[in-house]
């Protein structure tokens, strides 16, 4: 997709022609019509929205609130690309569950990820539920969440522990955890439905766009090197297949279904990121570490992954607002 700045240059004439819809018609002798107000956009979500890791840019809040929103995360990229067309309120927060978006005050963790890293400013004060940023004047809401409700990070860490003596053979993690996944997915579905109901109640006229998770594990897991901490550490190829097909895949499907049930849009990032997994040469998602042993990433998108998400989410925003 072309850069949004170039796209908006093309859109300029369209917006100008539609000005009669956006502002009152200027009568002869009247004062100039005011410029059209920007569309009010609220970005909600977890670390895949917020950015969080150094490979996704620099944290820009001063003082830090522990949510670790970074300047190259896709909401910030879209804000720069769309310029005055939108007015962004980014309340995404690393480690947020769906309930933290709906009605929980969240205790952010910053970059406090024992045993891998500690954050000298941890603990941070609670932040309000993200849905409180949405109101009757909100035009568009984007949300990317569900992984922390599924406890995907805990699953990954458990797999690393269970597989560390496997020599890369078998599926120790699947054998131990598989029967727990359906209940976790059911909770994702229930919580996601409640979140969307809350968002629509708070912003009855807003367009709601749900953002899925990108491909993190390749179709061919032989690409993944066993015991490589810049990939999936000690997780076996068999368990990576299981994580891709029976954990992350169904997570995206649950989000897509909930979006459809509420008449909302769903942005599927799977296909566009298929050849850019943690184990691909041109990766858009970092492994357990971006640089071992001093830069923890714990499987999150880098700047290239966020750029791709920005392209797809911005297209969905423009489509929802009817300006493309």
């Amino acid at each position: 997709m072309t850069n949004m700045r170039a796209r908006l240059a093309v859109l300029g004439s369209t917006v100008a022609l539609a000005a009669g819809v956006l502002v009152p018609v200027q009568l002869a002798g009247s004062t100039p019509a005011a410029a059209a107000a920007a569309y009010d956009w609220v970005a909600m979500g977890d670390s895949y929205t917020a950015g969080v890791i150094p490979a996704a840019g620099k944290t820009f809040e001063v003082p830090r609130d522990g949510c670790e929103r970074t300047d190259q995360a896709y909401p910030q990229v879209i804000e720069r690309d769309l310029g005055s067309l939108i007015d962004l309120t980014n309340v995404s927060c690393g480690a947020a569950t769906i309930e933290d978006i709906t009605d929980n005050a969240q205790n952010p963790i910053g970059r406090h990820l024992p045993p891998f890293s500690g954050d000298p400013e941890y603990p941070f004060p609670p932040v309000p539920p993200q849905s409180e940023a949405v109101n009757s004047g909100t035009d568009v809401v984007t949300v990317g969440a569900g992984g922390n409700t599924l406890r995907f990070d805990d699953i990954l860490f458990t797999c690393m522990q269970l597989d560390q003596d496997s020599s890369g053979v078998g599926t120790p993690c699947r054998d131990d955890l598989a029967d727990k996944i359906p209940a976790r997915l059911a909770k994702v579905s229930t919580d996601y439905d409640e979140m969307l109901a809350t968002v629509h109640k708070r912003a009855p006229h807003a367009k709601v766009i749900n953002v899925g998770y990108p491909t993190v594990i390749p179709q061919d897991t032989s690409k993944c090197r066993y015991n490589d901490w810049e990939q999936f550490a000690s997780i076996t190829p068999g368990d990576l297949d299981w994580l891709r097909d029976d954990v992350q895949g169904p997570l995206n499907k649950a989000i897509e279904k909930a979006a459809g049930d509420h008449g909302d849009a769903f942005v599927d990032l799977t296909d566009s990121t298929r050849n850019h997994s943690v184990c691909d040469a041109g990766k858009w998602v970092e492994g357990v570490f971006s640089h071992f042993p001093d830069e923890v990433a714990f499987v999150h998108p880098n700047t290239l992954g966020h750029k791709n998400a920005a392209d797809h989410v911005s297209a969905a925003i423009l489509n929802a607002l009817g300006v493309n």
Side-chain angles (χ1 to χ4, degrees):
M1 180 176 176
T2 57
N3 185 278
M4 280 297 111
R5 295 188 188 279
R7 184 171 188 168
L8 284 176
V10 176
L11 286 172
S13 58
T14 304
V15 174
L17 289 172
V21 177
L22 298 175
V23 297
V25 176
Q26 183 177 342
L27 301 176
S30 66
T31 56
Y39 292 101
D40 187 3
W41 167 33
V42 176
M44 308 190 302
D46 59 24
S47 53
Y48 272 61
T49 301
V52 173
I53 65 172
K58 297 179 180 179
T59 303
F60 58 84
E61 281 87 6
V62 179
R64 291 174 64 209
D65 62 2
C67 285
E68 298 304 290
R69 303 174 197 91
T70 58
D71 61 0
Q72 299 301 315
Y74 74 77
Q76 306 305 131
V77 173
I78 295 172
E79 180 184 38
R80 292 191 291 271
D81 284 344
L82 296 189
S84 60
L85 183 67
I86 52 97
D87 184 8
L88 170 64
T89 301
N90 184 0
V91 291
S92 61
C93 193
T97 65
I98 299 170
E99 290 178 328
D100 292 330
I101 295 173
T102 308
D103 53 22
N104 280 356
Q106 180 187 351
N107 293 303
I109 63 172
R111 292 180 177 166
H112 191 67
L113 297 169
F116 301 109
S117 67
D119 191 322
E121 296 184 48
Y122 179 85
F124 295 89
V127 295
Q130 294 180 33
S131 67
E132 290 187 1
V134 177
N135 56 55
S136 60
T138 302
D139 297 300
V140 61
V141 176
T142 59
V143 57
N148 292 314
T149 297
L150 185 66
R151 295 164 59 197
F152 191 69
D153 58 343
D154 176 66
I155 294 170
L156 286 176
F157 187 66
T158 300
C159 286
M160 286 189 287
Q161 292 178 307
L162 291 172
D163 291 7
Q164 62 185 350
D165 296 322
S166 68
S167 299
V169 178
T171 55
C173 193
R174 182 190 69 184
D175 299 343
D176 188 75
L177 294 181
D179 61 348
K180 300 178 177 66
I181 301 304
R184 296 191 188 189
L185 287 167
K187 180 170 176 55
V188 169
S189 296
T190 299
D191 288 3
Y192 210 99
D193 180 75
E194 292 176 359
M195 175 191 67
L196 289 180
T198 297
V199 169
H200 281 287
K201 183 178 180 180
R202 287 180 174 272
H205 305 297
K207 304 295 185 181
V208 180
I209 299 167
N210 302 271
V211 184
Y213 289 91
T215 298
V216 300
I217 301 167
Q219 195 65 35
D220 178 9
T221 52
S222 68
K223 295 179 180 180
C224 302
R225 296 182 295 271
Y226 182 68
N227 270 343
D228 187 337
W229 284 90
E230 293 183 11
Q231 293 187 356
F232 290 102
S234 56
I235 303 179
T236 69
D239 275 332
L240 288 173
D241 286 330
W242 169 70
L243 287 166
R244 182 193 62 236
D245 295 338
D246 295 340
V247 182
Q248 191 191 9
L251 170 62
N252 273 331
K253 290 298 182 184
I255 296 168
E256 183 177 15
K257 182 180 184 303
D261 289 346
H262 286 264
D264 297 334
F266 174 72
V267 176
D268 188 349
L269 296 176
T270 303
D271 287 344
S272 64
T273 57
R274 194 172 301 281
N275 296 317
H276 300 282
S277 76
V278 168
C279 302
D280 284 300
K283 64 182 178 181
W284 291 353
V285 182
E286 300 296 317
V288 179
F289 285 79
S290 292
H291 300 287
F292 184 77
D294 58 354
E295 192 172 301
V296 180
F298 216 64
V299 191
H300 282 80
N302 56 30
T303 56
L304 295 174
H306 279 283
K307 173 62 171 63
N308 178 71
D311 286 346
H312 289 271
V313 175
S314 58
I317 291 173
L318 291 170
N319 183 62
L321 296 175
V323 295
N324 67 334

